[in-house]
Amino acid sequence: VAEEKDSKSKSKAPVLDVFSPVWSKTGHSLLASARSANNKDQWLVSFDPETGKTQVVNHEHDGAWVLDDDDAPSLSLLEYGFFDTDRKVWLLSEHTGFRHLYTTSLDGSGSLRALTEGKHEIWNTKLSRDERTFYFRSNQDGPEVMHFYSLPVSGGAPKKLTSEVGNHQVTL
């Protein structure tokens, strides 16, 4: 982790970039991503604006590089959000070596629950307005083929919504 000396305390603190804030529907919580300057660590952090409390929801570490918005701007920004009356968080993580969809509790008390798995990746994830379905693009049919899928928030098998071979782009 890159470090910077505080001239008063002489202690070292990590240099972080904080970006991509997402407010809950109720306005009682905020999610934001914080990344170390050397791009080896990234945290998803929740903030309670009423109490000032912060909570790490997820931490990613990669000895080489964690995904950055600049790495794949045509595919997707970093993706996460709230659901279940703002009690739960959904996010994409590469901790298995592949980018997949997970859920966890907002307070950080639960472990990550994988909704997708396998040797493919998930991109451009959106949660439906009724918070019952995730929509995303995935390369399940091969590295050069991107299809559009739906998946119930409760999990299960993703349903392929496109059929022609290609790199499908969908806007919701």
Side-chain angles (χ1 to χ4, degrees):
V1 173
E3 297 179 341
E4 184 176 87
K5 285 189 178 183
D6 180 335
S7 61
K8 291 180 183 176
S9 68
K10 307 256 188 213
S11 66
K12 293 181 178 182
V15 177
L16 300 176
D17 292 321
V18 178
F19 53 94
S20 301
V22 175
W23 281 100
S24 65
K25 285 183 180 179
T26 63
H28 295 294
S29 296
L30 176 78
L31 289 173
S33 186
R35 184 179 308 112
S36 62
N38 66 6
N39 290 312
K40 295 181 187 301
D41 289 279
Q42 183 169 284
W43 297 265
L44 181 60
V45 181
S46 68
F47 299 91
D48 182 330
E50 294 170 7
T51 65
K53 180 181 174 189
T54 61
Q55 176 74 40
V56 173
V57 176
N58 187 52
H59 173 237
E60 299 282 318
H61 174 80
D62 188 311
W65 193 269
V66 292
L67 182 68
D68 182 323
D69 289 1
D70 296 333
D71 294 335
S74 65
L75 293 174
S76 166
L77 293 176
L78 297 171
E79 299 165 65
Y80 43 82
F82 296 92
F83 73 106
D84 192 18
T85 319
D86 300 338
R87 292 183 301 227
K88 293 184 181 175
V89 172
W90 65 268
L91 61 118
L92 296 183
S93 169
E94 291 185 319
H95 78 268
T96 64
F98 293 90
R99 184 175 163 98
H100 282 285
L101 177 59
Y102 296 85
T103 62
T104 190
S105 60
L106 175 61
D107 65 10
S109 64
S111 59
L112 287 180
R113 177 177 173 247
L115 295 184
T116 61
E117 61 185 9
K119 293 184 177 184
H120 59 273
E121 300 207 339
I122 305 299
W123 294 92
N124 305 104
T125 305
K126 300 291 182 202
L127 179 62
S128 64
R129 287 186 181 157
D130 65 6
E131 297 187 354
R132 294 176 20 188
T133 307
F134 287 107
Y135 294 96
F136 56 85
R137 295 172 62 224
S138 179
N139 62 349
Q140 293 180 31
D141 291 349
E144 300 299 322
V145 179
M146 287 288 246
H147 281 286
F148 188 58
Y149 293 82
S150 66
L151 176 71
V153 169
S154 59
K159 178 181 177 185
K160 188 189 301 183
L161 302 175
T162 52
S163 58
E164 297 295 321
V165 174
N167 187 345
H168 294 273
Q169 299 285 337
V170 178
T171 302
L172 296 177

